[in-house]
Amino acid sequence: MDDETWETIGRLVKRLDEHGTASPETVRLLRILKIGEEAGEVAEAVHGAMGSNPRKGHSHTWDDVQKELCDVVLTAMVALRTITPDAQRVFRENLERVAARDAPR
C-alpha cells in the first residue's frame, strides 16, 4: 500500500481518537473486535448474494460483498495503525514474508 493510503488511515485514526472517550487499552481492543463484526457483515452479504437464507432470499449483490470486504481491510488497517505508529512498515514486512513463503523454489 502506498504512502497516501496510510496517510488516509492515519487521518481516520486521528479523527476516531478525537471523538473517543474510552481508555487507550479499550480503544485498541474495540478496534480489533470491530474486524470480527465487519467479517460477519461479509458473511451476511455472501449469504444474501447467494440467496442461501430462504427467509431473506437474494438480499445482497456481489458488489455488496466487495464493499464489505473493503470494510474488513480498512478496519484491520485502522486497528493495526491504532496499535503501532509504524503500521505501514509492519504491513509491508508481513506482506513480503507471506509472498516469500509462496514464491517458487
Side-chain angles (χ1 to χ4, degrees):
M1 309 237 166
D2 61 18
D3 291 345
E4 185 178 337
T5 298
W6 285 104
E7 288 171 12
T8 300
I9 295 299
R11 284 194 306 275
L12 291 171
V13 169
K14 182 178 179 188
R15 186 181 62 79
L16 290 169
D17 288 347
E18 290 171 351
H19 292 91
T21 58
S23 71
E25 295 81 17
T26 300
V27 167
R28 284 193 302 262
L29 177 62
L30 292 174
R31 289 187 186 160
I32 292 167
L33 291 175
K34 182 75 173 166
I35 298 166
E37 178 184 337
E38 294 296 340
E41 292 177 15
V42 171
E44 180 180 2
V46 168
H47 282 286
M50 296 182 73
S52 61
N53 183 336
R55 188 171 47 83
K56 294 183 179 180
H58 287 276
S59 58
H60 292 76
T61 67
W62 287 104
D63 284 343
D64 295 325
V65 175
Q66 292 174 24
K67 291 173 188 171
E68 296 299 345
L69 284 169
C70 287
D71 285 351
V72 171
V73 172
L74 293 171
T75 302
M77 291 174 76
V78 166
L80 181 60
R81 178 60 182 81
T82 297
I83 65 171
T84 178
D86 210 9
Q88 184 174 1
R89 179 191 57 78
V90 170
F91 181 84
R92 183 183 63 250
E93 288 175 358
N94 277 276
L95 178 59
E96 290 168 359
R97 177 184 54 79
V98 170
R101 185 177 66 202
D102 193 47
R105 298 174 203 248

